[in-house]
């Protein structure tokens, strides 16, 4: 069996459990082919469940270990890793949880999961060069508007309706106290970023969310600013200061 075909057969086995195509290539010793393959498949699924638990610790507490294990198992079979870095694993997990009928009555679970994965992505984002106040100083207005910008890779904007920050903070404690948390749905945006060496999370207003969304789509400083123009000049100034202070903007030409 050529290597590419063997690798494809092994991958199919890991996801389906059907060993017919790969078993003939396994050399039996103390264990037969079925037993040896079973050990590897079990370790594969255990590793993926462990990665999801590491990336979604508060989501795990919200739904309980038993439910999380079963959901993670089914998710791993439907969404195997596309890259070798398990700390990146689980980008589709929040949407998967949102679609589960068992969680229909607790929609905040998916919101918390989105926030948790934004933290993972921000934490592991590569270093890059950011647009700074010094680089903008002295530019004429027309040149300032034309400055190309994109959202920095460490910055994530998460749209939620649940009190995610309050839930996340409460469940980081040994005993979660939810009595003071208002669970009424409220649409808002959270900024997750890593401007220095530690993660930061905060709620942002509509002007900031519109500006950062435009930057995330690839834009110029002027076009991004135009998205929050309706919120007023004071709002725009506040958003620009926030973006520069937290290093939220990078030049599209930088790697």
């Amino acid at each position: 069996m050529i290597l590419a075909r063997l690798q494809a057969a092994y991958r199919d086995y890991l996801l389906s459990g059907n060993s017919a195509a790969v078993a003939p290539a396994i050399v039996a010793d103390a264990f037969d082919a079925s037993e040896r393959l079973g050990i590897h498949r079990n370790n594969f699924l255990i590793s993926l469940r462990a990665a999801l638990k590491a990336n979604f610790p508060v989501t795990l507490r919200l739904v309980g270990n038993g439910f999380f294990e079963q959901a993670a198992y089914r998710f791993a079979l439907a969404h195997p890793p596309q890259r070798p870095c398990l700390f990146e694993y689980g980008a589709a997990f929040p949407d998967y949880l949102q679609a589960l009928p068992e969680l229909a009555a607790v929609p905040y679970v998916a919101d918390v999961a989105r926030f948790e994965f934004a933290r993972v992505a921000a934490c592991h984002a590569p270093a890059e060069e950011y647009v700074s106040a010094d680089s903008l100083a002295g530019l004429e207005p027309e040149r300032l508007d034309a400055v190309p910008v994109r959202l920095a890779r460490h910055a994530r904007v998460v749209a939620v309706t649940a009190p995610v920050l309050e839930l996340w903070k409460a469940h980081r404690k040994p005993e979660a106290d939810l009595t003071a948390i208002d669970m009424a749905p409220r649409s808002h945006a959270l900024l997750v970023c890593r401007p220095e060496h530690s993660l930061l999370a905060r709620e942002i207003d509509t002007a900031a969310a519109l500006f950062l969304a435009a930057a995330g789509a690839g834009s110029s400083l002027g076009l991004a600013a135009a998205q929050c123009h309706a919120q007023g000049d004071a709002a725009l100034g506040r958003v620009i200061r926030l973006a520069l202070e937290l290093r939220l903007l990078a030049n599209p030409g930088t790697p």
Side-chain angles (χ1 to χ4, degrees), residues 52-53 55-56 59-60 63 67-76 79 89-100 103 109-110 113-114 116-117:
L52 291 172
K53 286 183 176 182
N55 288 342
F56 300 94
T59 306
L60 168 61
V63 301
F67 185 90
F68 192 98
E69 285 267 351
Q70 290 299 314
Y73 174 84
R74 297 192 298 269
F75 175 80
H79 302 273
Y89 185 52
F93 195 51
D95 288 343
Y96 177 83
L97 292 176
Q98 185 173 19
L100 292 179
L103 297 180
V109 170
R114 290 189 182 93
E116 291 204 285
F117 195 79

Side-chain angles (χ1 to χ4, degrees), residues 130-141 143-149 211 220-222 240-241 243-245 249 251:
Y130 306 109
V131 175
S132 67
D134 290 342
S135 67
L136 300 179
L139 292 179
E140 296 296 326
R143 292 188 60 196
L144 191 63
D145 282 350
V147 171
V149 294
F211 178 89
S220 67
L221 191 59
I240 295 292
R241 286 193 298 273
L244 296 177
E245 175 190 349
L249 301 177
N251 189 301

Side-chain angles (χ1 to χ4, degrees), residues 15-254:
L15 299 178
S16 70
N18 184 349
S19 63
V22 72
I26 305 301
V27 177
D29 52 15
F31 300 96
D32 63 24
S34 178
E35 291 170 327
R36 294 185 69 181
L37 285 169
I39 291 171
H40 287 288
R41 186 170 191 259
N42 189 49
N43 287 337
F44 165 75
L45 293 171
I46 288 174
S47 296
L48 295 188
R49 290 201 298 269
L52 291 172
K53 286 183 176 182
N55 288 342
F56 300 94
V58 172
T59 306
L60 168 61
R61 289 195 64 185
L62 286 172
V63 301
N65 187 71
F67 185 90
F68 192 98
E69 285 267 351
Q70 290 299 314
Y73 174 84
R74 297 192 298 269
F75 175 80
L77 295 179
H79 302 273
Q82 302 300 306
R83 292 169 54 85
C85 303
L86 286 186
F87 64 74
E88 300 177 348
Y89 185 52
F93 195 51
D95 288 343
Y96 177 83
L97 292 176
Q98 185 173 19
L100 292 179
E102 302 94 324
L103 297 180
V106 284
Y108 57 83
V109 170
D111 274 356
V112 171
R114 290 189 182 93
F115 172 71
E116 291 204 285
F117 195 79
R119 285 174 50 84
V120 170
C123 181
H124 295 290
E128 55 191 330
E129 293 184 9
Y130 306 109
V131 175
S132 67
D134 290 342
S135 67
L136 300 179
L139 292 179
E140 296 296 326
E142 60 274 11
R143 292 188 60 196
L144 191 63
D145 282 350
V147 171
V149 294
R150 64 167 169 78
L151 191 64
R153 292 186 176 89
H154 71 86
R156 297 288 189 278
V157 177
V158 187
V160 297
T161 58
V164 168
L165 283 180
E166 294 85 348
L167 285 168
W168 188 84
K169 290 175 182 177
H171 283 87
R172 296 292 289 176
K173 299 176 181 177
E175 296 294 333
D177 181 6
L178 309 182
T179 55
I181 298 178
D182 181 1
M183 295 299 296
R186 177 178 66 88
S187 296
H188 59 289
L190 300 177
L191 169 66
V192 181
C193 60
R194 192 205 64 212
E196 295 290 347
H197 301 295
S198 58
L199 288 172
L200 178 152
R202 65 170 65 171
E203 183 175 340
I204 55 175
D205 61 18
T206 300
L210 291 172
F211 178 89
L212 295 177
S219 185
S220 67
L221 191 59
L223 290 175
Q227 295 302 307
C228 60
H229 180 72
Q231 308 298 317
D233 292 339
L236 176 59
R238 184 176 67 252
V239 171
I240 295 292
R241 286 193 298 273
L242 176 75
L244 296 177
E245 175 190 349
L246 297 183
R247 302 180 179 181
L248 303 180
L249 301 177
N251 189 301
T254 60

Side-chain angles (χ1 to χ4, degrees), residues 2-9:
I2 63 173
L3 179 59
R5 191 176 301 166
L6 175 61
Q7 290 172 330

